[in-house]
Amino acid sequence: MGTAAGGAGSGPRYVQIADDIVQQIRAGVLKAGDMVPSESELVDRYGVSGGTIRKAMVEVRASGLVETRHGKGSIVKNRPPVRHRSSDRFRRSLRQSGQAAYLAESTQSGATAKVSVLYIGPMDAPEDAAERLGVPAGTQVLARRRLYFRNGTPVETASSYLPWDVVKEIPELFAENPGGGGIYARLEDHGHEFAEFVETLQARPALKSEASELALSPGAPVVHLIREARTTAGRVVEVCDTLMAADQFVFEYRIPADD
């Protein structure tokens, strides 16, 4: 296996070693629940110093494929399979059939989905969300914060911010379960017909608190996605601030070729 890393032919030695270990995990040589060989074992295997191995393990942990347990070393995570996140998930036909986007996609991928509601209630709008909603920062909005699981593993957090004048007449939006089709179906039930959903994505390392919430190694890659739900009247009636474990999602979008 040392030869495999050396055969990469480019990049610092520690990067080659990290790539080799990651490939072993992805190929199933190291399976979920297996311990990554100890530093001394890796020193012997690759013929390098302990410092080089420690640098390599920083890279391996950043992949999000292992977690470090104090006093025990690094263990391969039991992560659920990658799920496509398609632009089709907001089709009106899905809402009308009573399916919320996340649950519908998880069912299609054969995974067991769970949503844990962390908070529902009034909140002063964060600056970015307020700007997108077209209200002053600090204006009271309804916040809905959720943690999404797939096959028992946390993979995504989402915080929705909705204008108070829109939600105050829709009691279902204050409930943990807003009913079939989710909050978008309830908004449309009350006359807020959607014209489009606009998403902005940024990949970055996870902050310490984010890594803890999603059971990731510190600095593991995440995708920060912000979505605006815009109505036919031209109003943004929801801003959804979402953070996803990057190794768990593939994004697929349809882009019309006509005007």
Side-chain angles (χ1 to χ4, degrees), residues 132-195:
R132 293 172 184 273
L133 290 170
V135 300
T139 299
Q140 179 175 281
V141 295
L142 173 65
R144 294 180 57 93
R145 178 164 170 75
R146 295 90 67 201
L147 178 60
Y148 294 88
F149 295 81
R150 193 160 71 257
N151 294 344
T153 300
V155 295
E156 175 182 345
T157 64
S159 297
S160 289
Y161 304 101
L162 301 99
W164 197 261
D165 66 295
V166 169
V167 304
K168 65 182 181 180
E169 304 298 336
I170 312 176
E172 296 94 335
L173 296 183
F174 292 80
E176 286 196 14
N177 181 358
I183 65 173
Y184 292 158
R186 299 293 78 75
L187 285 163
E188 288 202 311
D189 288 346
H190 287 76
H192 303 284
E193 181 179 349
F194 291 108

Side-chain angles (χ1 to χ4, degrees), residues 123-139 141 161 226 228 239 241:
M123 179 181 288
D124 293 344
E127 185 173 349
D128 181 68
E131 183 177 351
R132 293 172 184 273
L133 290 170
V135 300
T139 299
V141 295
Y161 304 101
I226 299 178
E228 298 178 12
V239 171
D241 191 323

